[in-house]
Every structure is written in C-alpha cells, then in structure tokens.
Amino acid sequence: MSRLPRFTGAKNPAAPGSFDVRHRPRRRAALAAATAGLAVLAVGTPVAYATLGTGSPADPRPATAAAARGKDYVETRLFFGTERPDGGPDVTDRQFLDFIDAEVTPRFPNGLTIQDGRGQWRDSNGVIERERSYELTLLYPASEARVRDPQIERIRNAYEKTYAQDSVARLEERTTADF
C-alpha cells in the first residue's frame, strides 16, 4: 500500500508545475517591488532629463527662468605669492592688507574677497616653489570690463614691483550675479 502525502495545502514542490502557497507572499512582495521600481523610473525619467538640461521629448521647456535672474558680471581672481625670489622677508598679513587698502580698495570700493591659500608653481629655473599665498576675488559688471582691465593690471604691477614678485596670476570668468 502506498502512502499518500499528507495534504498541507500545497502541491508537491518537486513535481513539475507545482506551487507552494507559502511562497505567495514573497511573490506578491517581489511583484509589488518591481511595480514600484518601474513607477519610479517612469516618473523619474522626465525629471532627470529636465535636471540634466536635455529636455524631455514630451515636455520641452526653455531655460529662461534661470537666465532671467542676475546680471552679467566678470569675476577676476588674482593670486599673490608671499615669498620673495630675491630672498627678502616674506610678505606679512599686515603688509598685504595695507597693499589692499592702498591699491585695491580705491579701485574696487564696492567689495572684494580675500582668501588665504597655499600655492605651488615652477619658477624660471625649473624649481617647484611652494608658498603661502592670497587669492583676491573681484566681481564687477561685465559692462565695466574695459575700464576695470587697466585697473587690475596696475594692481598686479604694483604688487610685483613692491614685493619683488615674478608674477601675479590672473584668472577671469564671465558669470551672472544677483545681489
């Protein structure tokens, strides 16, 4: 006499096409998770296109809202070293701030930013020089660029001459600013 398996509400898991009701909650959870993932992808894709600025084929929008804020400005950054190539004493904080008061503030009275830094560069003899430095940031309307250029060059030349520097680096970028 053969023994029949005791009924547990499930077919024999080893038999082809069988199922076990105990696994239904897992399948439902997996199906729900897959559905939620697809929904996130479907909703998130247009947002990603908009964020990346490529525009969604269904919703092309011009980027005029962000461009309307702010005005055209030029940001000029000057990098001042403090070690003297002639072997003289380093430029002190007091000397640098006095230089700012005498040479920069009269030309840019509306404001400026100074940051302490550490810099390195290769000198004319091929030696890597490391030194304490200052970064000066000037921000002014783009319409004033022609007037400001010679003023900035005077600042650079005055620092080079006063503190026996090989150069003062200059970096410029056009930007927008809103105050």
Side-chain angles (χ1 to χ4, degrees):
M1 175 185 234
S2 70
R3 280 186 78 120
L4 294 173
R6 197 172 94 158
F7 180 71
T8 61
K11 288 186 176 182
N12 180 355
S18 66
F19 67 95
D20 187 345
V21 292
R22 291 174 293 180
H23 293 294
R24 281 187 185 166
R26 286 188 207 155
R27 286 186 182 155
R28 284 185 187 148
L31 182 59
T35 303
L38 288 173
V40 167
L41 286 174
V43 171
T45 300
V47 173
Y49 279 118
T51 302
L52 294 173
T54 58
S56 168
D59 186 25
R61 288 182 286 171
T64 56
R69 225 181 5 252
K71 295 180 182 172
D72 290 333
Y73 274 76
V74 175
E75 176 185 8
T76 299
R77 294 189 296 165
L78 301 178
F79 300 88
F80 300 89
T82 58
E83 290 184 9
R84 299 183 195 213
D86 63 4
D90 291 356
V91 178
T92 66
D93 288 340
R94 175 67 357 225
Q95 288 172 318
F96 184 76
L97 292 176
D98 287 346
F99 176 82
I100 294 295
D101 290 343
E103 298 291 336
V104 182
T105 301
R107 293 179 173 101
F108 294 89
N110 290 340
L112 53 91
T113 301
I114 301 169
Q115 297 184 50
D116 289 322
R118 299 283 310 159
Q120 97 176 24
W121 61 291
R122 185 181 309 270
D123 70 11
S124 58
N125 297 320
V127 176
I128 300 290
E129 300 285 343
R130 292 182 177 93
E131 62 186 323
R132 189 173 57 85
S133 60
Y134 299 99
E135 179 181 339
L136 170 67
T137 303
L138 304 168
L139 190 62
Y140 47 92
S143 61
E144 298 176 11
R146 287 184 184 204
V147 172
R148 298 299 186 171
D149 179 70
Q151 294 174 338
I152 292 167
E153 287 307 303
R154 280 190 218 107
I155 293 167
R156 293 175 71 201
N157 292 333
Y159 190 82
E160 290 169 6
K161 183 178 178 183
T162 303
Y163 298 109
Q165 297 292 303
D166 287 337
S167 68
V168 171
R170 179 177 178 171
L171 176 67
E172 267 182 13
E173 295 184 68
R174 291 201 173 262
T175 188
T176 57
D178 189 18
F179 297 96

